[in-house]
Amino acid sequence: METIIEALVALFLLIGAAFALVGSIGLAKLPDFFMRLHGPTKATTLGVGGMIVGSVLYFSTRGEGLSLHELLVTLFLFITAPVSAHMLAKAALHLRLRTVERTRGEGALPRGDAE
Amino acid sequence: MELLVAIMIGLLTACGIYLLLRARTFPVIMGLTLLSYAVNLFLFVMGRIGESQPAVIGVGDGQYTDPLPQALVLTAIVIGFAMTAFVVTLALRARGELHSDHVDGDADPRGPGA
Amino acid sequence: MTLSLIIFLPLLGALLPPLFIRLGRTACAWSAALLAGTALAILLYHSPAVFAGETLVFTQPWLPALGLNFSLRLDGLGLLFALLILGIGLLIILYARYYLSEHDPMGRFYGMLLLFMAAMLGIVLSENLLLLLVFWELTSLSSFLLIGYWKHRSDARQGARMALAITGGGGLAMLAGILLLGHITGSYELSVVLASAELIQAHALYPVTLALILLGAFTKSAQFPFHFWLPHAMAAPTPVSAYLHSATMVKAGVFLLARLFPALSGTELWFFLVAGTGTATLLLGAYHALFKHDLKGLLAYSTVSHLGLITLLFGIGTPLAAVAGVFHIINHATFKASLFMAAGIIDHETGTRDMRRLGGLWRFMPHTATLAMVAAASMAGVPLFNGFLSKEMFFAETLHAGWMGEWSWLLPLLATLAALFSVAYSVRFIHDVFFGTGPRDITRKPHEPPRYMKVPVEVLVALCLLVGILPAWTVAPLLAAAAASTVGAELPYYSLAIWHGFNLPLLMSLIALAGGVILYLLRFRLFALHDRIFPLCDAKAWFECGLARTIAVSHQLTAWLENGSLQRYAMLLVASVLIVIGTSLWGTTLTGPVAMGTVDGVTLTGALVLGVSALATVIWHRRRLAALVLLSVVGLVVSVAFVRFSAPDLALTQLSVEMVTILLLMLALYFLPQHSPAESSTARRWRDGLLAAGAGLSVAALAWGVLTRPLETISGYFLEQSKPGGGGSNVVNVILVDFRGFDTLGEITVLAIAAFGIYALLQGLRLPSPTTDGEGRPWAEDRHPLILSAVSRPLLPLALMVSLYILLRGHNLPGGGFIAGLVTAVALILQYVASGVVWTRERLPFDYIKLTASGVLVATLTGVASWWFAHPFLTSTFEYVQLPLLGKFELASAMVFDVGVYLTVVGSTLLILANLGKLTLVSQPHEETK
Amino acid sequence: MLALAIPIAFALMSLALLLNLWRVVRGPDLPDRILALDTLYINSIALLVLFGIHLDTMIYFEVALLIAMMGFVGTVAVAKYLLRGDIIE
């Protein structure tokens, strides 16, 4: 395998893993649910995207051609991630979860201000 | 690795059995699910957990895992689902007839939905 | 071969009389008699060989792994008993024809009688000790039925129950004894056991073995202290008493003593156990017999006494004593059976058996009276009758008993005393019934019975006389043959002559005769004395009391163990499994020789996630939805673990099943409380925690033990044959749809049945729908969020494509019908979730029941198709048909089977989930309760 | 180069997994746990892709595909449960 390709694959893998980690750090560290929602839905999805790009590069240069799975995984993930985030946000709004001061939005009020 | 797997199977069993001994149907069903995870893993590792290839001919160097426990466990997982579903339905039926989700069918003093 | 016919004719023939009763009572009796007669003819056909000293053995392996063979043995002892059983049996059949009234179900009587006859024949003809035991228990059962024949009478039921409890319990003890005997000798075949006397008697387990076997023999032969069941068994019809309780069943115990005589006898222990029990029984029976006012009660106790006498003879242990014992078995059978039949005739004609009301019957039935007098004289041991001969031999043997030391005078004294009582009750039987004043309070006028009712008595009485007067011409060969196989060695010299000169035994006989008559004359004073001494000595009351107490205790035990709490049962179940596993694991070397693999960081992390989430599931199990989320983490990690350990098929299955399970649990949770109440006490939580920890530890230890041992796989064949034989490279899938296709067919059938069962259980179920969630918040208004339904719809074709792909290539790469079916089901369920039942059903008008059924049908038809190629069900035709074209067909056939699996899985999963989901459509909202 | 990158990526992913675990156990509310579960699902996909490159095989990629599908259905269904209680109505 060409070194450049290998380097690219390694780079994509590391970027992917780093983004996934960032997403999880956000999930663990951010102070309220609505902030935490950002981490996994954006960073982690991107991280998996990076991984898959690395994988596509890796396997296509090994003569196994473009794999359908990776494309399908990407397709699925990029279609569904926003929907699950949307559903979770809907549920959280419905449950009126406690939020910190800075979180503002329609229906999402700091707990003390709830009706 | 073997020790880790053994401990995990034991832990799953212990958690499953503890929940199995609870008084309400729902924890019991969750306990059954945990226990079936443990049993499936146990059966599966009877084929050992060496660094070998999946039992698909033509993949890898010919060092395949034991396919027989896998076939057994595969059917066990599906049957396990059928049985869980049956128990769930029984629990619902009991709830409907006895107005309680206690495994002994005692009338729930708190009333339904409590 | 024909030996087994002797047993099987009555055994299978037991079905005939109940059928023949439709042709009338005589035909019914004839059917029974013909069967017994044929068996007797076969027996007689074999008898010359036995008289010539041969032992016929027939062996047919039955359960050789257990040492149980259907092996039969016909030797002298067996021949003697078989002759008694069949000969007296025939007479009983004739007698019962006239004894039973019009109202008694005769077919059933003869059926049970033949069954009993077969069981008895089995005992005496068995070569295998385990087989003997099987028949032994069969006699207990069939005698239970016969004693309880008049089931409308409570005394018959109680007597039957008592007999069954005592003899059945003894049978259990005997089973243990025989198992020990087999353990000592290494075989259950009599020929081996009988030849190993020294080995057995030197063995440390000999005392236990002997005691257990004797327990069986003594209970069956009504020996003290188990004698009390026999008098109560007299509630049976008289033919049964005459047959079972004089001639055959009660002789089974002494038969066993005779049978095992060569192997077990000759030790001091044997002498004191057997002779001691025999003496006690002899005296006790003789004493009680005198004080019974009931005719059959007198005969019952007399039987007890005579059985004690026989037991005592075998206990003495000398070969001559054994000969005398065998001789007395013959004599007792003849005179006692005839006496029972005479008692039956008297009962039949007068309506009572109470000797205080009877008397003077000589005037009405002189013929019967004569017969009874002959038999009674034989019982009393009067010279010229057969009882005299064996009693003389008995007296002579008591004089020569070893082991007694300076107490050797005691045995003859006790024997004479017993004989004295025996004379007294014999005189009473005759005098109180046929002579003196009376009868009193008799409603009908007695007369002689029907002609043929007397024939059996006449035959037996004639035998008494013939044997008594001409022993050497009649009974000698049979006695010699039987005694020879009992003793197991050369027979000692003995003489069957009536007159041996004036010696001590004769003196003892004379004392007994004279003393007995005197005792009888003093009877009224003795009765009064007896009533004062033994007012409370009623064994039946004790037995019934003990029985009631046992039942009460077992009720208590049952109530304690089985209090209706499933939670408790689960606890007991886990605890007992723990005890069994724990004790067997204790002290074994757990760690095997295989070295451990190294752990990598990711796996360790995965294990951490698994362990923490499993523990968290337990800790938060009362907050049910949270626990459910944690449970799905566990499921996810388990699936990933399957990938880690090279099992992609399992990972796929686990993932889809886990999702379906979570959906199922959420559907159920909607109708259940959202939180579990905290109701377990701290003690219970600790107890359950300890049990769970113990179970977990045992399983972990077991897994560890296995994992560190090398694998001996049987999968080599599957791996080799998968491609050439099954036509697929994914071995797991080829095993499922080809090698073990039949298992899979059974499995999808179970799946379908479970789905149908759930469907049926949900029919008509009305559950209140909660109007708020667990915290009391009302539900959101938006039933089907627009974005969700809009995105889910285009996902459906995508998911269906994926599942089709997984289905089609499952034979060669991870996948297959199960997984594809689950994926399809989940994809469709997503539409239910996103757009609702109504929307989905409009666009998906399948009947899930039919879908499930068609799946099973398709899979079955694939199997049937191989019949078309003249191969067994579900055979892979590929293996047999060499043509490349048909090879391709085989590939397609396995795929068709997988399609059947797929349809079944889709159908049943949707049937379960959609019907659970539909519950809310029919449920009515209920009042919120706070 | 890959030989170095893959272990580092594995280590990063492991750390991510542990952080997810922390959130799923810590809560505090149900949506937090569900979100963490969803993240665990997505991270598992990444882990499987990484594992495939590590072992140089594509045989586990169906599993990744299925995780993507099932993770979505699971998350959506639990969210629906929180909203309506009845996931199939």
Side-chain angles (χ1 to χ4, degrees), chain B residues 7 53 78 81:
Chain B
I7 289 173
Q53 302 291 324
V78 179
F81 162 67

Side-chain angles (χ1 to χ4, degrees), chain C residues 287-326:
Chain C
Y287 172 79
H288 275 289
L290 181 58
F291 296 100
K292 284 285 159 190
H293 302 302
D294 177 23
L295 267 182
K296 281 176 77 177
L298 183 152
L299 291 176
Y301 273 108
S302 149
T303 304
V304 169
S305 162
H306 280 274
L307 289 167
L309 188 155
I310 298 166
T311 305
L312 171 55
L313 275 171
F314 284 116
I316 290 171
T318 58
L320 262 182
V323 174
V326 173

Side-chain angles (χ1 to χ4, degrees), chain A residues 1 3 6-7 9-10 13-14 17-18 20-21 24-25 27-30 33 36-37 40-41 44-45 48 51-52 54-55 58-59 62 64 67 69-70 72-73 76-77 80 83-84 87-88 90-92 94-95 97-98, chain D residues 1-3 5-6 8-10 12-13 15-17 19-20 22-23 27-32 34-36 38-39 42-43 45-47 49-50 52-53 56-58 61-62 64-65 68-69 72 75-76 79-80 82-83:
Chain A
M1 186 191 296
T3 325
E6 198 185 322
V9 171
L13 289 186
L14 285 178
L21 179 62
S24 292
I25 292 174
L27 176 72
K29 277 290 175 193
L30 290 174
F33 175 77
R36 292 198 275 267
L37 193 55
T41 46
T44 306
T45 312
V48 175
M51 290 268 185
I52 288 177
S55 157
Y58 179 80
F59 284 107
R62 290 177 61 78
E64 297 188 24
S67 161
H69 308 94
E70 283 130 318
L72 272 175
V73 171
F76 251 107
L77 217 55
T80 59
V83 180
S84 20
M87 288 299 287
L88 280 174
K90 234 174 130 63
H94 171 69
L95 297 181
L97 297 187
R98 71 207 101 181
Chain D
M1 214 175 309
L2 265 181
I6 288 175
I8 295 175
F10 266 131
L12 295 178
M13 290 312 302
L15 207 58
L17 287 180
L19 288 167
N20 298 344
W22 160 255
R23 184 49 70 195
D29 296 302
L30 276 165
D32 288 296
I34 301 165
L35 181 62
D38 192 45
T39 317
I42 299 175
N43 282 1
I45 300 173
L47 207 60
V49 171
L50 206 54
I53 297 175
D56 195 15
T57 173
M58 292 167 75
F61 281 8
E62 273 89 19
L65 184 59
M69 274 181 70
F72 172 63
T75 310
V76 164
K80 179 89 194 294
L82 286 180
L83 285 168

Side-chain angles (χ1 to χ4, degrees), chain C residues 52-126:
Chain C
E54 277 182 57
T55 297
L56 305 177
V57 174
F58 164 81
T59 299
Q60 173 72 40
W62 184 5
L63 294 171
L66 293 179
L68 174 57
N69 295 317
F70 189 84
S71 49
L72 302 178
R73 165 196 188 94
L74 183 65
D75 57 5
L77 189 66
L79 177 69
L80 165 65
F81 269 89
L83 277 177
L84 284 178
I85 293 161
L86 286 169
I88 297 183
L90 272 172
L91 298 177
I92 294 292
I93 289 170
L94 176 60
Y95 180 81
R97 161 68 185 84
Y98 296 96
Y99 179 84
L100 292 178
S101 80
E102 299 282 338
H103 312 293
D104 295 324
M106 186 182 264
R108 209 180 70 202
F109 180 84
Y110 281 126
M112 295 187 306
L113 196 75
L114 285 177
L115 182 68
F116 171 78
M117 186 184 279
M120 264 323 284
L121 287 168
I123 290 183
V124 301
L125 295 180
S126 282

Side-chain angles (χ1 to χ4, degrees), chain C residues 10-317:
Chain C
L11 187 67
L12 302 177
L15 296 171
L16 283 186
L19 296 175
F20 272 73
I21 189 68
R22 289 154 196 261
L23 301 179
R25 288 154 63 84
T26 310
C28 180
W30 267 111
S31 68
L34 270 178
L35 286 161
T38 318
L40 184 62
I42 297 172
L43 184 71
L44 290 174
Y45 166 77
H46 283 295
S47 60
V50 177
F51 282 122
E54 277 182 57
T55 297
L56 305 177
V57 174
F58 164 81
T59 299
Q60 173 72 40
W62 184 5
L63 294 171
L66 293 179
L68 174 57
N69 295 317
F70 189 84
S71 49
L72 302 178
R73 165 196 188 94
L74 183 65
D75 57 5
L77 189 66
L79 177 69
L80 165 65
F81 269 89
L83 277 177
L84 284 178
I85 293 161
L86 286 169
I88 297 183
L90 272 172
L91 298 177
I92 294 292
I93 289 170
L94 176 60
Y95 180 81
R97 161 68 185 84
Y98 296 96
Y99 179 84
L100 292 178
S101 80
E102 299 282 338
H103 312 293
D104 295 324
M106 186 182 264
R108 209 180 70 202
F109 180 84
Y110 281 126
M112 295 187 306
L113 196 75
L114 285 177
L115 182 68
F116 171 78
M117 186 184 279
M120 264 323 284
L121 287 168
I123 290 183
V124 301
L125 295 180
S126 282
E127 155 77 0
N128 187 289
L129 279 172
L130 290 176
L131 187 68
L132 187 150
L133 195 89
V134 171
F135 286 118
W136 184 279
E137 297 292 3
L138 195 57
T139 59
S140 292
L141 287 176
S142 52
S143 77
F144 170 78
L145 295 172
L146 281 169
I147 296 170
Y149 175 71
W150 283 321
K151 55 190 175 195
H152 52 279
R153 283 172 44 181
S154 77
D155 61 335
R157 293 197 303 269
Q158 284 175 0
R161 193 169 60 184
M162 192 191 283
L164 182 68
I166 304 287
T167 56
L172 280 182
M174 196 173 111
L175 170 63
I178 284 178
L179 290 178
L180 282 177
L181 205 58
H183 169 71
I184 294 171
T185 58
S187 169
Y188 294 106
E189 301 295 313
L190 265 176
S191 36
V192 178
V193 172
L194 293 185
S196 338
E198 285 174 21
L199 178 71
I200 296 167
Q201 295 180 8
H203 201 277
L205 286 173
Y206 170 70
V208 187
T209 313
L210 181 65
L212 286 170
I213 290 180
L214 287 182
L215 215 53
F218 288 170
T219 49
K220 201 76 160 182
S221 277
Q223 295 297 294
F224 176 81
F226 309 108
H227 61 280
F228 56 87
W229 69 265
L230 185 56
H232 291 290
M234 290 301 139
T238 300
V240 173
S241 305
Y243 193 41
L244 272 66
H245 306 130
S246 71
T248 54
M249 190 179 83
V250 292
K251 296 282 170 56
V254 287
F255 167 79
L256 195 74
L257 293 183
R259 185 47 110 196
L260 295 175
F261 188 80
L264 297 177
S265 74
T267 62
E268 194 170 348
L269 188 67
W270 167 275
F271 174 77
F272 281 111
L273 279 179
V274 180
T277 309
T279 314
T281 315
L282 168 68
L283 284 169
L284 195 89
Y287 172 79
H288 275 289
L290 181 58
F291 296 100
K292 284 285 159 190
H293 302 302
D294 177 23
L295 267 182
K296 281 176 77 177
L298 183 152
L299 291 176
Y301 273 108
S302 149
T303 304
V304 169
S305 162
H306 280 274
L307 289 167
L309 188 155
I310 298 166
T311 305
L312 171 55
L313 275 171
F314 284 116
I316 290 171

Side-chain angles (χ1 to χ4, degrees), chain C residues 444-774:
Chain C
R444 48 191 149 170
K445 186 172 155 53
H447 54 78
E448 287 284 351
R451 178 76 201 89
Y452 286 106
M453 201 168 174
K454 278 184 299 189
V455 168
V457 192
E458 286 163 356
V459 171
L460 289 172
V461 164
L463 280 176
C464 287
L465 278 170
L466 275 174
V467 171
I469 299 167
L470 300 167
W473 295 85
T474 48
V475 80
L478 185 62
L479 178 61
S485 53
T486 305
V487 175
E490 276 299 296
L491 274 183
Y493 171 77
Y494 61 90
S495 158
L496 287 178
I498 303 167
W499 180 250
H500 291 111
F502 195 83
N503 53 13
L504 209 49
L506 188 62
L507 181 66
M508 288 159 77
S509 284
L510 291 178
I511 294 174
L513 283 172
V517 174
I518 296 168
L519 202 63
Y520 175 71
L521 293 176
L522 298 174
R523 66 188 182 280
F524 293 112
R525 250 179 261 174
L526 285 172
F527 289 165
L529 193 68
H530 174 82
D531 288 344
R532 244 186 301 150
I533 299 172
F534 293 99
L536 293 172
C537 205
D538 185 5
K540 183 181 174 183
W542 290 0
F543 180 84
E544 292 295 330
C545 176
L547 198 68
R549 200 163 298 165
T550 314
I551 290 173
V553 167
S554 54
H555 272 307
Q556 274 173 9
L557 196 69
T558 312
W560 178 73
L561 271 174
E562 224 187 288
N563 62 351
S565 165
L566 293 178
Q567 199 183 0
R568 189 187 169 83
Y569 298 167
M571 189 273 286
L572 288 174
L573 201 69
V574 172
S576 17
V577 170
L578 198 57
I579 290 167
V580 171
I581 303 251
T583 46
S584 52
L585 276 184
W586 196 258
T588 51
T589 322
L590 263 185
T591 311
V594 173
M596 264 203 282
T598 49
V599 182
D600 55 274
V602 187
T603 312
L604 195 62
T605 314
L608 200 66
V609 177
L610 180 73
V612 170
S613 47
L615 281 173
T617 311
V618 171
I619 292 167
W620 281 305
H621 76 265
R622 290 182 33 233
R623 292 157 64 183
R624 294 181 171 179
L625 192 59
L628 196 56
V629 172
L630 288 160
L631 188 67
S632 19
V633 178
V634 177
L636 173 66
V637 182
V638 170
S639 321
V640 176
F642 282 134
V643 171
R644 171 67 186 79
F645 298 122
S646 318
D649 288 282
L650 289 189
L652 291 169
T653 317
Q654 177 68 56
L655 267 173
S656 356
V657 164
E658 197 239 30
M659 185 44 56
V660 181
T661 310
I662 298 294
L663 290 174
L664 177 80
L665 289 181
M666 272 195 291
L667 283 170
L669 188 54
Y670 177 59
F671 297 105
L672 294 172
Q674 299 302 304
H675 301 279
S676 305
E679 55 192 351
S680 298
S681 63
T682 315
R684 164 168 272 177
R685 284 206 298 272
W686 270 101
R687 187 197 68 193
D688 292 349
L690 282 176
L691 276 178
L697 213 62
S698 319
V699 172
L702 214 58
W704 168 247
V706 173
L707 284 176
T708 51
R709 281 169 173 74
L711 171 66
E712 280 175 37
T713 180
I714 53 169
S715 305
Y717 170 81
F718 299 130
L719 285 167
E720 278 167 24
Q721 289 297 316
S722 176
K723 194 94 183 163
S729 51
N730 181 9
V731 187
V732 177
N733 185 267
V734 174
I735 289 177
L736 283 177
V737 299
D738 194 332
F739 294 131
R740 309 295 306 165
F742 202 49
D743 294 355
T744 310
L745 182 62
E747 204 225 3
I748 57 173
T749 313
V750 171
L751 189 64
I753 290 171
F756 294 158
I758 289 165
Y759 176 75
L761 271 176
L762 291 177
Q763 288 301 303
L765 180 61
R766 294 278 185 282
L767 284 168
S769 306
T771 49
T772 61
D773 68 9

